[in-house]
Amino acid sequence: MNPAGTGAQSIAELFWWMCGGGLLIWAVVMGIALYATQAHPEAHGIRSARWLILGGGIIFPVVVLTGLLTYGLMLMPPLRSTTDIDLRVDVSGEQWWWRVSYQTEAGAVVELANEIRLPVGERVAFSLTSPDVIHSFWIPSLGGKVDMIPGRTNELMLEPTETGTFRGACAEYCGTSHALMNFAVVVMTRDAFDQWLAEQAKPAQQPETELQQAGQQAFLANGCGACHQVRGTEADGTVGPDLTHVGSRLTLAAGTLPADVDAFRRWIGHSSEIKPDVRMPAFGMLSEAQLNAMAHYLKGLK
Ligand code: CUA
């Protein structure tokens, strides 16, 4: 209803035409129904009644539906065109988060999670897949949704027309925490986007305070690096989200929590209470002091 991309614009137009057409036809049908309750049966001969049934029951729907189908099909080729692609983003839907990878101009792959940033006015090709079950990738403000199916890669073209922060969601039931699988989409100017991508490509910041150092030690000592990568440290797991710049993200746990220190602490200690059936075990056996130190370390990974 509030498009900020060319795909969403076409879908909104189609929706309003359908809505207006549906309303008009509903009004006409209701008018005829009302008339039928009032009219005398003798007022119409058998011939005119036949014509009414033929016209209203067959000819009219065929004409209207053919028109709408043609209009709907005509909207599709420009939305799916793969020419003039400015940027490619790979996204994998996983239970219950989003693995996002960009390629820099130097050819390096930058992986992050649950956040997508795009330059405004440029055509983006998304390659969508999944390693576990079927998910569906949907940014309502920018365009239509496309399924992410294990074993195949689907393509989706989007072109944002406005800067701002939009919400993306999983639109296919994929297990217990399907509703807790969201992501932020930030559309920015080309310069700001380039700067952001260059920052994301860098290795992680070293801890600055003693508290952050203690947090890094606890992070490495408790085996977090078996699932998570923090580039520039010995943590090189690939099962879970890349945390190299997790402190710079807008949300935590795929749009479930705000990205503040308190949320990091709660998430590490109580992950399964916040997101039922989540793969990451809750580290409730850690002391409050350790959880606090880890939260400060992770928030510091800007
Ligand atoms: Cu992933 Cu629903």
Side-chain angles (χ1 to χ4, degrees):
M1 298 294 184
N2 193 9
T6 51
Q9 183 72 48
S10 306
I11 293 169
E13 269 168 35
L14 181 65
F15 171 80
W16 287 117
W17 276 108
M18 294 275 212
C19 206
L23 214 67
L24 193 71
I25 292 169
W26 180 81
V28 170
V29 170
M30 285 301 130
I32 294 174
L34 203 69
Y35 172 73
T37 62
Q38 310 293 332
H40 285 285
E42 305 84 53
H44 296 278
I46 194 106
R47 247 178 98 84
S48 62
R50 267 208 194 111
W51 272 111
L52 190 66
I53 291 169
L54 203 71
I58 297 172
I59 299 173
F60 180 73
V62 166
V63 169
V64 169
L65 292 179
T66 306
L68 279 177
L69 183 66
T70 311
Y71 173 54
L73 289 176
M74 274 165 47
L75 292 179
M76 286 168 74
L79 291 181
R80 296 168 59 111
S81 160
T82 51
T83 51
D84 302 328
I85 298 295
D86 300 302
L87 176 70
R88 285 190 171 274
V89 184
D90 294 343
V91 187
S92 168
E94 314 203 358
Q95 283 174 315
W96 289 277
W97 61 283
W98 308 86
R99 187 189 295 273
V100 181
S101 348
Y102 288 81
Q103 215 165 21
T104 62
E105 275 175 18
V109 174
V110 180
E111 191 176 303
L112 56 147
N114 305 323
E115 192 165 305
I116 291 173
R117 300 210 176 205
L118 304 171
V120 68
E122 297 190 25
R123 229 170 133 65
V124 188
F126 287 93
S127 294
L128 306 171
T129 190
S130 163
D132 41 45
V133 299
I134 300 176
H135 303 268
S136 182
F137 179 85
W138 192 25
I139 311 168
S141 301
L142 301 191
K145 65 183 90 157
V146 168
D147 276 5
M148 309 170 102
I149 300 169
R152 56 174 292 172
T153 302
N154 284 339
E155 288 241 301
L156 171 68
M157 314 301 150
L158 293 177
E159 187 180 329
T161 50
E162 283 172 32
T163 55
T165 303
F166 307 97
R167 186 179 150 94
C170 180
E172 176 90 33
Y173 182 73
C174 55
T176 316
S177 284
H178 151 72
L180 299 174
M181 183 174 174
N182 302 302
F183 58 100
V185 183
V186 184
V187 179
M188 46 215 311
T189 60
R190 188 27 125 160
D191 285 350
F193 171 81
D194 285 340
Q195 202 179 348
W196 168 81
L197 191 58
E199 286 296 323
Q200 294 289 317
K202 289 181 187 166
Q205 274 183 11
Q206 285 304 312
E208 282 165 358
T209 64
E210 265 180 43
L211 188 60
Q212 288 176 344
Q213 277 165 4
Q216 186 184 41
Q217 276 163 16
F219 182 88
L220 296 172
N222 284 287
C224 304
C227 293
H228 294 288
Q229 183 164 48
V230 179
R231 275 177 274 129
T233 73
E234 61 196 69
D236 59 358
T238 55
V239 178
D242 186 300
L243 301 181
T244 308
H245 297 287
V246 70
S248 70
R249 285 182 205 146
L250 298 176
T251 68
L252 184 60
T256 310
L257 298 173
D260 56 28
V261 170
D262 188 50
F264 274 104
R265 188 166 46 212
R266 280 171 55 213
W267 174 248
I268 303 165
H270 309 276
S271 52
S272 53
E273 284 166 38
I274 294 164
K275 190 178 276 197
D277 281 356
V278 66
R279 295 258 171 97
M280 177 170 136
F283 283 75
M285 67 294 199
L286 298 182
S287 68
E288 276 303 312
Q290 279 176 309
L291 289 175
N292 188 44
M294 274 163 84
H296 275 93
Y297 166 59
L298 292 170
K299 186 61 202 172
L301 295 176
K302 297 280 181 173

